[in-house]
Amino acid sequence: MSAGGIDVPGDLHVPADWEAAAARLRAASRILVLGPADAGKSSFCRYALSLLPGARLVDADPGQKSVGPPACVTSGQIEDGRLLEGPLAFAGSTDPVRGWQALAAGVRALADAAPGPVIVNTGGLLAGPGPRLKADKIAAAQADLLVAIGAHPGIEAVLADHTALASLRLASSTLARRKTDGERRQARREAFARSFAAASEWTVSPEGLLPDGAVLHPRQLVGLAGDAGDLGIGILTQVAADAVTVLGTAGPAGVRHIRPGLLLLDRDFRESALPR
């Protein structure tokens, strides 16, 4: 885990029905949280973490993060009142549809690696392909309890498709506030900036590290993977046929694969999508 972390507020707003659900939460081992954007899912996850000592958060929202960098499935645990960053799985995009398969694979990998209870937070996409994406995350997490925060027709579709699973319907936090698109973009910029604050730059030959025929771009976001999983993320600062320079949150030691993502990040961590 990283040395940094996010403070967990001691005065977190907990609606009455969240408190009433505490016994159900303590009896579960794989909890998946769903609901529309800005319903209080992240706040609920922090509350659930406080009830389950040793539980690990798996943040499967690639755009709005509770912990770790965007464009990834991330994880964290509470230690000394802080949510400390743990392992991650690179998804390559902040768009959950473009990163669909990698998101599901990341949820499975991080949930399976957790030694204790797991709480999976998901994004707010519930319309269109949202219920199918949630179904894949539910399967990947091997969830034994679904927690639905707030109200949305897509929630009903998900729960109707998973009647064999235990579920809870809970109210949104009254303090939850709808964010603008600009606020969401700024939050991603800040999350990327935090992740790259201690990054180092290194140059390697791409041979054997990158997929054959990969088309690379300067400022492209990449995943840095070792033999046992993802080690961190990087930005390609220089690209040539015989060498690539990476600004990486992990150093070159142990990197066995560089996985091209679907985003470009400028020097201020503003993102743009690679063409399809």
Side-chain angles (χ1 to χ4, degrees):
M1 290 186 179
S2 67
I6 299 171
D7 290 322
V8 178
D11 58 350
L12 184 69
H13 175 250
V14 179
D17 65 342
W18 293 12
E19 289 187 296
R24 295 281 301 279
L25 298 175
R26 291 191 179 100
S29 61
R30 298 284 183 96
I31 301 167
L32 185 134
V33 182
L34 66 151
D38 304 320
K41 297 187 298 295
S42 295
S43 294
F44 176 82
C45 288
R46 291 196 294 273
Y47 172 62
L49 284 170
S50 73
L51 294 176
L52 303 171
R56 176 174 293 177
L57 172 68
V58 173
D59 185 347
D61 183 347
Q64 300 299 299
K65 305 303 294 180
S66 296
V67 61
C72 299
V73 181
T74 53
S75 68
Q77 287 180 284
I78 292 180
E79 293 184 13
D80 298 325
R82 309 202 81 199
L83 181 59
L84 297 185
E85 186 176 340
L88 61 77
F90 185 63
S93 177
T94 56
D95 179 341
V97 176
R98 295 193 79 181
W100 188 313
Q101 291 184 336
L103 288 172
V107 168
R108 183 177 296 278
L110 296 185
D112 286 351
V118 175
I119 302 159
V120 179
N121 194 15
T122 63
L125 179 64
L126 286 165
R132 290 186 289 116
L133 175 57
K134 293 293 186 293
D136 281 358
K137 290 180 179 179
I138 290 167
Q142 300 179 66
D144 57 12
L145 177 63
L146 304 181
V147 177
I149 306 290
H152 189 283
I155 290 176
E156 306 308 318
V158 173
L159 296 184
D161 286 341
H162 295 84
T163 55
L165 286 179
S167 62
L168 283 171
R169 297 170 183 256
L170 302 177
S172 299
S173 169
T174 57
L175 299 184
R177 183 182 65 83
R178 186 75 180 177
K179 301 179 186 69
T180 66
D181 289 344
E183 288 173 320
R184 292 176 183 281
R185 288 192 296 271
Q186 180 62 26
R188 289 195 293 271
R189 285 181 62 192
E190 292 172 357
F192 275 127
R194 285 193 298 270
S195 294
F196 282 102
S200 59
E201 200 168 50
W202 39 272
T203 300
V204 292
S205 167
E207 186 174 357
L209 292 177
L210 281 150
D212 291 341
V215 178
L216 305 177
H217 304 263
R219 306 303 304 179
Q220 187 171 2
L221 183 70
V222 296
L224 307 175
D227 290 329
D230 290 333
L231 304 174
I233 59 174
I235 298 170
L236 300 181
T237 56
Q238 295 184 57
V239 176
D242 59 349
V244 292
T245 300
V246 180
L247 178 67
T249 64
V255 173
R256 300 291 181 262
H257 307 281
I258 298 177
R259 298 167 53 200
L262 302 174
L263 291 178
L264 302 176
L265 294 178
D266 72 11
R267 295 182 184 278
D268 293 320
F269 303 105
R270 286 185 290 261
E271 70 188 76
S272 57
L274 287 177
R276 290 182 183 271

